[in-house]
Amino acid sequence: FSSSTKVIMNKLQLLRSTLLLSTLSAVSSQAVYDDVVPPPVCAKFAPINFLGDAEFVNTDGSFGADTTTGDMSIGQVYSAQLGPNYPNQFPVFANMGANYKSVCVTTFDQIFPNYGAPTCFYEFEMKFCRVNSVIIYPPLDEIKKVSREEVISEEKILYALEKGDRGRKRRTQRDTFATDEAKDVVAKDVGEDLVDAFQIDDKFAKNNEALVAQVCPNLGCWCPAYFDCKKGGFTAHGSGPDPIEITGGTGKLFGAFGQIITPTPFDIGTMSPLTGDLSDSSIDMQIEICYYNTDEIF
């Protein structure tokens, strides 16, 4: 070949290589689409009382005792309060945590006799765990915060509960096989460093023979107290007394939807006559939420 022909061939080869690399790069960077979405998981909580302060914002600078269109009440933190439904709702939920911040906007002039609730926008943070109804639990005062590394994994406990239902005295060859398998179940490296757990002793072993025979026959191990713990955030908006709409979620509450019922009127607590700010205001909220398990999607 002539020198000019060789140059042209080299340029063509370089162009083909560049196009091939560009194509591969585009393919590798594309999003993955999965048209199989698992069904959502839902949880309904008994009413929880939230307490907090709110700052009044006189948007239009109007004077007088009546609030007018556009006036706002901004709550930085409303925290769930200790009570019969918090932080535990046995025998279903335990180790709960919840708080929210809100912005409430007056949508029309509040002049006698025309009064109405503002439209509110909420950002919630929430966590909760589920109680395993199959396990006969020790007293609550035996549950301690223990390093996750010292605790039997949830996966091993659930596997043992599923496989070993005959008890220590009626173990068959299949039970022995299940015991060996349970030792090899790999735990997911997720969750907080400290978990709620209790130490397996003779009394617990007597009440949960099949479980202990598989996961801790020599006793002394730490068993997780709660399971399937979720922690995430979700948004909501609405205007009372109608249900508040849950409109989205993040973290372990991914894709959240549902509603919040307010069974009692909002308690304004103490209102400042000078600023309109609220102190120790409170409200009961019954959260009914559905979400997707991200471990099954991504």
Side-chain angles (χ1 to χ4, degrees), residues 215-237:
V215 300
C216 187
N218 296 324
L219 309 184
C221 310
W222 287 95
C223 178
Y226 311 123
F227 298 82
D228 192 27
C229 295
K230 302 297 181 184
K231 183 178 181 180
F234 61 92
T235 56
H237 70 81

Side-chain angles (χ1 to χ4, degrees), residues 6-75:
K6 289 182 179 179
V7 170
I8 293 174
M9 292 179 65
N10 289 336
K11 288 184 176 181
L12 289 174
Q13 181 65 32
L14 178 61
L15 178 61
R16 283 195 295 267
S17 299
T18 302
L19 290 173
L20 177 60
L21 288 173
S22 299
T23 302
L24 292 174
S25 176
V27 171
S28 63
S29 63
Q30 288 179 353
V32 177
Y33 174 73
D34 187 354
D35 59 355
V36 180
V37 179
V41 179
C42 296
K44 180 178 180 179
F45 299 91
I48 301 171
N49 180 258
F50 290 85
L51 179 73
D53 303 331
E55 180 180 348
F56 177 72
V57 180
N58 189 353
T59 304
D60 61 0
S62 59
F63 296 97
D66 298 321
T67 56
T68 55
T69 303
D71 287 347
M72 296 186 294
S73 183
I74 301 176

